[in-house]
Amino acid sequence: MRSWSDTLRFAFQPVVNLSTGGIAALEILARPEAGDILAEARRDPELDSRLAVLAVRAAVRKESLLPLHVNVFAGTLADLGGLGSLHAAVRAAGRMPWEVTIDVGPPYTHVPQQALLEAVTALREQGFRISADGVGDGDVSLRLLTDIAPDLVKLDASLLARPAAVRAMRTLCDELRALLCVEGVETELQFATGVEAGAQLAQGELFAPPARLPAVDVYVPPRSPEAQAPSPSGPLVREFVRPAALLAANASAAQVRALLTGSPDVSGVLLVDRDGVPVRSVHRSRFLLSMSGRYGHALYADRPAAKLGDPPRTVGIDATAWEVLEVVADGGRDRTSDDVAVVDGYGRCVGVVRLADLVRALAETRVEEAAGLNPLTRLPGSDAITGEVDRRIADGRPFALSWLDVDHFKRVNDGAGFAAGDELIRSVGRTLQLAASGSTRVGHIGGDDFLVLADPEGLDPLAASVLDMPWSAGGWPVTLSLATVLCAPGSVTDHREAAACLAPLKKAAKSLSGGSWVLGHAGLPGHEVRRGAAPTPSEAGCAVVEPGGG
């Protein structure tokens, strides 16, 4: 009589890195030929644990070197704890726990949360990575999600119809130091929405359907120029991690050669100790050159591969692309093409980054930044500021959005000349930049209009820096107007609403004489006049005083 395991097959679906366009991992999916084994596993933790073990063994039979994602129900973890059988199966298969991500799936309702969190901790101590699966369409609460603190959050594709929710989840993932993956992507429109909302990984029929054999290539549409804005400190390494080819530290040169010749896409091999810490780095070209030389195979085949390797170059998972370039620059010129190992907080290798990926990302970042800069002041335009406004709203952070301009600038331009007017605008921009500190962002949105995004406590020194200074253009005295809206958490939903709150304050500031500053609160009526006074009838008709005039 055939058992359920005799009719069980597994399919593999790639997890795609949207930055590199490569396959980051393979999710192993159970595909029974008869019956609903998954429904049974949901009720039977021992069966679910057995499925996880069989999934790992199925991947080993396919000889895939890629990291693996294995599905386990939340109730199974709470009931069984650390899944010792899975840990033993991974080690027996010659894989390391940190090459395996446990996709913890719903339902979560009625699962003992403390037992679940203790199981997650036990898995982490064994070295496994943790993914929260089915978020957005499942029943995991935000409180439980943050307590789990997963390495990866898998978001249901239904949320792509609500980009604001995806952006908010990306913000939460950044706080948790997790990556964001969107599942079930079927169309290029869904792909574009996911990328623009901040997803870093994705799965779905668009890239490659689940198949009995692991995919070698995937289809990834080109990214649009309007993709997620880069981090101010540069692209993060975690977005560019590729799978690493790992062998034990005592591996022979023959073992390394077999791996390299059988995997033409592998650019190098990292030799790691039992804890997964890189000890040597073997570069493909240099290694094969040594092996192919006269007597090379006879000399090296049975010797430790470490003798043909170099000290590994490593960076932490939270490093930026610029920090990787510093690591590369400190090495010899002959190693500029070497992969850089990415390690977690325990020093374990979780993948590699290639210099070419980072250089391309940095170049794209600089091109995008340059395209958005005002040619006169070299300050970013409104898109950069409004994007940061939306991020602060999603973070639940209070902020102050200010608009600044030159009073009656056209008259100044007509009287002093456009060259003097341009120089005035450049001077105002420089002053704002010098006054900006910490998280303050300054933008030039065209003409004589500037936007400033700051923390509320930084307002007074910022305002004083521009309003206390005597301004002139070609000898013509000039004054500035400043309008600020304070936005408490929950007072506005996006940058458009913040701008709408700012509009009447701009009008109020312009109605005052001399240097002016008007401040209001989003969602509340009225405003406070910090500087300026109501104009007299004579002032209302004479906003600019000519040189030498009264």
Side-chain angles (χ1 to χ4, degrees):
M1 180 177 178
R2 301 180 73 192
S3 68
W4 61 265
S5 59
D6 295 327
T7 62
L8 182 65
R9 300 291 181 268
F10 289 93
F12 301 87
Q13 185 169 44
V15 180
V16 178
N17 185 314
L18 298 180
S19 295
T20 65
I23 301 174
L26 291 172
E27 181 175 357
I28 315 170
L29 304 168
R31 291 291 187 264
E33 294 181 1
D36 191 352
I37 193 70
L38 294 181
E40 294 180 40
R42 189 179 293 114
R43 298 186 296 268
D44 185 347
E46 292 289 349
L47 176 57
D48 192 30
S49 174
R50 175 70 173 154
L51 285 177
V53 170
L54 292 175
V56 170
R57 291 175 179 170
V60 172
R61 287 196 297 271
K62 302 301 181 183
E63 298 182 346
S64 172
L65 295 174
L66 289 166
L68 306 174
H69 283 233
V70 178
N71 293 285
V72 178
F73 290 111
T76 297
L77 293 184
D79 192 76
L80 299 183
L83 293 181
S85 60
L86 179 62
H87 184 265
V90 169
R91 286 290 190 178
R95 303 299 294 266
M96 298 181 181
W98 38 95
E99 296 180 87
V100 178
T101 298
I102 307 296
D103 282 4
V104 184
Y108 292 87
T109 304
H110 307 307
V111 172
Q113 295 194 4
Q114 187 57 40
L116 173 60
L117 295 175
E118 290 174 359
V120 167
T121 298
L123 288 169
R124 281 209 171 94
E125 289 175 350
Q126 294 173 26
F128 291 105
R129 296 167 62 78
I130 303 297
S131 166
D133 202 357
V135 175
D137 196 43
D139 58 348
V140 59
S141 68
L142 285 177
R143 178 178 176 179
L144 179 57
L145 183 64
T146 54
D147 286 345
I148 292 174
D151 302 286
L152 175 67
V153 171
K154 288 192 172 183
L155 207 60
D156 188 85
S158 61
L159 264 68
L160 290 173
R162 301 166 179 82
V166 183
R167 288 194 294 270
M169 188 55 65
R170 168 62 192 271
T171 300
L172 176 61
C173 285
D174 288 344
E175 290 293 325
L176 297 175
R177 297 161 69 181
L179 291 176
L180 180 62
C181 176
V182 178
E183 296 184 289
V185 177
E186 297 180 350
T187 68
E188 294 198 11
L189 179 59
Q190 287 181 318
F191 164 80
T193 301
V195 171
E196 291 169 17
Q200 297 140 316
L201 302 169
Q203 291 178 263
E205 297 277 343
L206 176 67
F207 311 105
R212 293 290 175 85
L213 293 176
V216 178
D217 296 308
V218 291
Y219 168 70
V220 180
R223 292 167 60 118
S224 69
E226 292 78 24
Q228 177 78 7
S231 164
S233 58
L236 298 175
V237 162
R238 65 175 66 230
E239 299 182 19
F240 300 90
V241 175
R242 292 176 178 266
L246 304 178
L247 285 176
N250 60 356
S252 68
Q255 289 175 292
V256 172
R257 183 176 183 276
L259 190 157
L260 292 176
T261 54
S263 307
D265 293 334
V266 173
S267 56
V269 175
L270 286 170
L271 305 179
V272 297
D273 64 17
R274 181 170 175 78
D275 293 324
V277 177
V279 294
R280 298 294 281 180
S281 173
V282 180
H283 184 267
R284 180 187 188 91
S285 297
R286 294 198 298 273
F287 174 84
L288 292 179
L289 184 62
S290 298
M291 290 290 288
S292 62
R294 191 175 184 183
Y295 309 123
H297 189 272
L299 286 172
Y300 299 116
D302 296 325
R303 300 182 67 185
K307 294 185 177 297
L308 294 174
D310 299 290
R313 296 186 297 186
T314 62
V315 294
I317 189 67
D318 296 316
T320 67
W322 293 111
E323 291 173 304
V324 178
L325 291 187
E326 291 177 4
V327 170
V328 173
D330 287 340
R333 289 188 177 183
D334 60 330
R335 297 193 63 192
T336 54
S337 62
D338 287 19
D339 293 340
V340 177
V342 181
V343 298
D344 63 13
Y346 297 96
R348 301 177 301 214
C349 181
V350 297
V352 296
V353 287
R354 293 180 179 175
L355 185 61
D357 288 337
L358 300 182
V359 170
R360 181 173 61 253
L362 291 170
E364 291 172 353
T365 298
R366 287 294 180 255
V367 169
E368 291 168 4
E369 289 176 353
L373 297 181
N374 186 286
L376 183 61
T377 58
R378 307 304 294 168
L379 288 172
S382 61
D383 286 348
I385 304 301
T386 56
E388 180 63 21
V389 167
D390 285 338
R391 282 188 283 276
R392 296 195 189 193
I393 291 172
D395 288 345
R397 297 167 54 190
F399 63 89
L401 182 64
S402 299
W403 165 86
L404 176 81
D405 85 335
V406 178
D407 295 326
H408 306 287
F409 182 65
K410 186 178 185 304
R411 296 184 189 178
V412 174
N413 246 355
D414 291 343
F418 71 87
D422 286 351
E423 182 53 40
L424 172 65
I425 296 303
R426 280 191 288 265
S427 296
V428 172
R430 284 194 295 268
T431 300
L432 285 171
Q433 279 185 293
L434 290 173
S437 61
S439 59
T440 301
R441 300 286 181 267
V442 179
H444 182 190
I445 59 178
D448 63 321
D449 294 308
F450 294 86
L451 275 180
V452 182
L453 177 62
D455 294 330
E457 57 270 19
L459 277 177
D460 287 327
L462 183 70
S465 69
V466 289
L467 296 180
D468 287 348
M469 180 176 292
W471 294 98
S472 64
W476 294 67
V478 172
T479 59
L480 307 180
S481 292
L482 179 67
T484 300
V485 59
L486 291 175
C487 298
S491 61
V492 291
T493 58
D494 60 19
H495 70 270
R496 297 175 184 84
E497 191 172 341
C501 294
L502 188 57
L505 302 177
K506 295 181 347 187
K507 184 176 181 180
K510 297 300 290 183
S511 69
L512 302 175
S513 64
S516 61
W517 181 19
V518 167
L519 184 145
H521 294 262
L524 298 178
H527 60 264
E528 173 189 354
V529 176
R530 291 284 185 94
R531 297 201 184 202
T536 64
S538 60
E539 288 175 326
C542 184
V544 180
V545 180
E546 296 188 16

